[in-house]
Amino acid sequence: MGTFAKRLGQLSRQSLETESANILKTASANKHGLSKALDATLKQGHDMTAFGLGTVASMASVDRYARFTTSMRAVYDAMETQFDAAPTGSATALVWSRHGDVLRRASKLEEDLHDVAADAATSAELSPATEGYVDAILEAGRADADGGARLLGHLYCRYFADLFGGQMLATPYNVSLGLEAGTPRHYAFDFPGTRRELIEGVYASLNDAGDALTPDARAAVVAEALRAFRLNIDVYTEEPVYVDAARGAANLVTGGARRLLG
């Protein structure tokens, strides 16, 4: 299992490199300001092995996928509720007012969940790790009442994961679980231009927000991003990872073969 985990981590890192590293390396807005400081958290906070294994594990069965989607729906709903409530003129509102319409994921996750677990969409209990994550988002929102923007750390962690690596996951989920065509919706964005332009724009907006913050408030955003990474790892690895990842990988292989054979 150790070798299997290592290989999945390697595959995840390779996918990220081939699909998105060029944008990360050649964008200009992330070479200074708050965006540069947030990108610096990737080495410490973004555990590709944990995220890679957790993602493939969520492909082990439709029920497993439904539980993961329930968690993500709760997280995004909590974030987006807080972003919508951010005071006009605040650093958080500055970023969300420019990009929120494109970045929103909660409604898409709700639809994805209804596809596979209609009852769970309204009545599922949240797992302990998910509750902890949601509580942290709400706590950040309350703390931001002092003029801070800790919520931007959560925005950076989740939405950039979707924009950089998440878009590659729609097909594997669809194939491995035999989902309906065009699903899951979570990873589909309606870009006003190109993905690169949106990413560059969000980076630029984060810098504008950072310029409006005190040094201590900027440091709090970076610290919150690291906290968000840890909370994500808790959610991704809360259920058995290695066995489910093996099942998810097998589903991907067999699903791909069925798709090829028509």
Side-chain angles (χ1 to χ4, degrees):
M1 284 298 180
T3 300
F4 177 68
K6 182 178 179 180
R7 181 55 181 157
L8 279 177
Q10 291 171 341
L11 289 172
S12 298
R13 287 189 291 271
Q14 182 180 0
S15 295
L16 180 64
E17 175 69 23
T18 56
E19 295 291 333
S20 298
N22 183 56
I23 297 176
L24 187 65
K25 291 176 181 177
T26 61
S28 60
N30 65 338
K31 302 302 186 292
H32 60 92
L34 179 58
S35 290
K36 180 178 180 180
L38 287 168
D39 273 1
T41 66
L42 289 170
K43 184 175 182 180
Q44 178 181 348
H46 199 274
D47 185 337
M48 283 302 299
T49 298
F51 288 121
L53 282 170
T55 297
V56 179
S58 67
M59 301 177 192
S61 68
V62 171
D63 286 345
R64 181 75 153 82
Y65 165 73
R67 291 194 296 275
F68 178 73
T69 303
T70 296
S71 294
M72 289 295 102
R73 181 199 57 168
V75 167
Y76 281 90
D77 184 64
M79 285 196 300
E80 291 166 12
T81 298
Q82 293 295 308
F83 295 147
D84 287 340
T88 302
S90 66
T92 298
L94 183 155
V95 178
W96 192 243
S97 65
R98 294 179 183 177
H99 308 288
D101 288 346
V102 176
L103 294 178
R104 289 181 186 275
R105 302 288 95 190
S107 61
K108 293 180 180 291
L109 284 157
E110 181 80 13
E111 292 179 63
D112 288 341
L113 188 54
H114 271 292
D115 287 342
V116 295
D119 291 340
T122 55
S123 63
E125 293 185 4
L126 299 183
S127 69
T130 306
E131 286 186 341
Y133 196 167
V134 169
D135 287 346
I137 293 167
L138 300 180
E139 179 184 330
R142 290 191 295 269
D144 284 351
D146 65 3
R150 293 166 182 82
L151 286 168
L152 292 180
H154 291 279
L155 182 148
Y156 172 82
C157 179
R158 279 295 347 148
Y159 294 106
F160 273 95
D162 292 334
L163 289 170
F164 275 112
Q167 284 202 299
M168 299 179 292
L169 298 176
T171 297
Y173 273 113
N174 185 277
V175 169
S176 62
L177 298 172
L179 302 178
E180 294 293 326
T183 63
R185 303 168 187 81
H186 172 190
Y187 304 107
F189 285 87
D190 295 321
F191 297 120
T194 66
R195 182 165 68 114
R196 172 184 287 275
E197 289 169 344
L198 176 59
I199 290 172
E200 187 83 56
V202 178
Y203 272 134
S205 294
L206 286 169
N207 286 339
D208 290 343
D211 290 343
L213 298 171
T214 66
D216 285 348
R218 287 194 295 272
V221 175
V222 175
E224 196 69 27
L226 286 169
R227 184 186 189 191
F229 279 123
R230 292 192 296 270
L231 292 163
N232 271 276
I233 290 171
D234 290 344
V235 171
Y236 274 72
T237 60
E238 184 172 27
E239 294 194 38
V241 172
Y242 294 106
V243 172
D244 281 356
R247 291 171 178 161
N251 286 345
L252 185 56
V253 171
T254 56
R258 284 194 299 268
R259 186 72 58 89
L260 288 173
L261 294 173

